[in-house]
Amino acid sequence: MGSLDEGLYLGLISGTSADGVDAALLRFEPIPTVVAATTLAYPASLRTRLLELTRPDAAVPLDVLGALDVEVGHAFADAALDLLARTGIGAAAVVAIGSHGQTIRHRPDGMHPFSWQIGDAAVIAERTGITTVADFRRADVAAGGQGAPLAPAFHAAVFATLAPCALLNLGGIANLTLLAVDGGIRGFDTGPANCLMDAWVERHLGQARDEGGVWARSGRCDSGLLERLLDDPYFTRRGARSSGREHFHLAWLDSRLIESTLSAADVQATLLALSARTIADALRAEDPSVAAIYACGGGVHNPALMAAIAEAVAPAALQTTAAAGLDPDFVEAALFAWLARERLAGRPGNRVDVTAARGPRVLGAVHAAGG
């Protein structure tokens, strides 16, 4: 098959929205190319259990957690096999799978910092017959880093010719990568993108998301609530920082809604404004000279959110990574295909200027395919 830099790699991820598994098949030579991609939705019962597990007060028996780890591993294997079946490409043509897994807790700042993803990689390797690399965050956290975001290293490798620019991922949490002409790079989580809006619409309308931002647009942003939300110390942090559902969740929101008489739609409109405002504030604080922003992730399909961000970051121009040749729905899946390649080649996958780790680290644990 030639060098490890040649051949196909398959990336798998389920983000903080926990709505399913994104799978992307990539070729990296001569340039990174998504050969095929798909999303396999989680069964409703599995998504419900995963969202319950990510609540900060979740109490789950070890037997349940162990079984869930394996069940998620099977869901990831299903996504990989589904993608290969759709393309007619055999497992032998794939050098490796890179699996992010499903984050259930991200605590990089405690006395014993950790970042925990489930989705048994041994199950994926066994089911697919493809060497699988997983647990990408642990080595960076062990070296004193945040373990997140990991995307900036991939952004720097793939989008360097676009510098100076910013890459904006709109998943459950929003994160920014800032690429400078001289090769400098910064990256961090800005706060919520979709996670609070998704949780709020699910509570009130029983929907997984506010399709097109229609519900948010039916309400009005409340300046008083917005200021209470912005008062969280996370939004004024600088340097290496990362977050997740363990910080931004419905209980966090409820604590700021005490005695509120706002309609549910007005709260949704305010949550949308919070996402746009915190992205813009972070961008201006870190690099106000950025003129081009390329967005990816599920949030690009919410025109209300994209319009609010575009207005908040003006005069910087907002567009999606499609303009740079990479499907915005599968940038993160592509990242983990890339990280699998870096791991097998023995190259570091983190950026110390992003995570604040003590040094470059080769990321990921390798699970060899069975016979």
Side-chain angles (χ1 to χ4, degrees):
M1 182 175 290
S3 74
L4 289 173
D5 286 339
E6 300 172 350
L8 299 173
Y9 289 81
L10 201 159
L12 300 170
I13 181 174
S14 178
T16 48
S17 294
D19 49 5
V21 183
D22 291 337
L25 190 63
L26 276 87
R27 179 179 290 109
F28 289 98
E29 298 296 336
I31 61 172
T33 304
V34 176
V35 175
T38 190
T39 298
L40 192 64
Y42 279 141
S45 63
L46 176 56
R47 181 172 189 265
T48 297
R49 284 176 285 140
L50 287 171
L51 291 178
E52 290 174 351
L53 187 61
T54 59
R55 287 169 39 200
D57 59 347
V60 182
L62 288 177
D63 284 351
V64 172
L65 182 56
L68 195 58
D69 181 32
V70 173
E71 186 177 355
V72 172
H74 280 292
F76 272 62
D78 288 341
L81 292 170
D82 178 71
L83 180 58
L84 293 178
R86 289 171 182 266
T87 60
I89 294 173
V94 181
V95 179
I97 290 172
S99 176
H100 172 265
Q102 180 69 62
T103 298
I104 60 171
R105 195 68 89 243
H106 183 67
R107 299 289 194 195
D109 297 316
M111 181 178 295
H112 299 290
F114 68 94
S115 187
W116 191 1
Q117 290 74 40
I118 62 172
D120 192 335
V123 168
I124 301 171
E126 182 67 27
R127 290 268 318 277
T128 62
I130 301 170
T131 294
T132 300
V133 187
D135 287 328
F136 289 101
R137 301 189 185 275
R138 290 179 185 266
D140 186 86
V141 173
Q146 289 281 304
L150 293 178
F154 175 63
H155 294 160
V158 175
F159 298 114
T161 58
L162 301 176
C165 68
L167 281 298
L168 171 63
N169 178 60
L170 297 170
I173 297 295
N175 54 68
L176 272 169
T177 299
L178 305 176
L179 300 179
V181 175
D182 63 3
I185 178 175
R186 280 172 288 163
F188 46 87
D189 290 347
T190 66
N194 299 303
C195 63
L196 290 175
M197 290 189 289
D198 288 351
W200 189 250
V201 75
E202 187 153 22
R203 172 189 281 184
H204 289 275
L205 301 184
Q207 301 171 0
R209 64 189 63 83
D210 181 8
E211 291 289 352
V214 172
W215 193 41
R217 279 180 163 161
S218 74
R220 297 180 62 183
C221 174
D222 181 80
S223 59
L225 174 59
L226 181 60
E227 290 306 313
R228 292 197 297 277
L229 299 176
L230 288 168
D231 195 43
D232 189 290
Y234 184 84
F235 298 128
T236 56
R237 286 180 60 178
R238 294 293 174 259
R241 57 196 187 275
S242 58
S243 191
R245 281 183 179 272
E246 52 282 308
H247 188 118
F248 296 107
H249 46 73
L250 281 179
W252 178 89
L253 173 60
D254 289 340
S255 69
R256 290 154 175 81
L257 284 173
I258 296 174
E259 298 182 359
S260 172
T261 58
L262 293 174
S263 72
D266 286 348
V267 173
Q268 185 76 349
T270 307
L271 292 175
L272 186 146
L274 174 71
S275 296
R277 169 76 176 272
T278 51
I279 289 166
D281 285 353
L283 187 65
R284 291 196 179 95
E286 298 283 351
D287 190 349
S289 68
V290 167
I293 304 168
Y294 298 87
C296 61
V300 302
H301 299 294
N302 183 334
L305 178 60
M306 289 291 283
I309 295 171
E311 181 179 357
V313 301
L318 177 68
Q319 56 193 320
T320 77
T321 55
L326 202 55
D327 188 327
D329 287 328
F330 297 104
V331 172
E332 289 222 308
L335 156 67
F336 289 97
W338 180 80
L339 282 172
R341 187 185 71 149
E342 299 305 287
R343 172 62 182 87
L344 295 185
R347 295 188 288 256
N350 66 336
R351 290 289 301 244
V352 299
D353 37 6
V354 171
T355 68
R358 285 184 285 273
R361 296 292 185 268
V362 177
L363 306 181
V366 180
H367 299 256

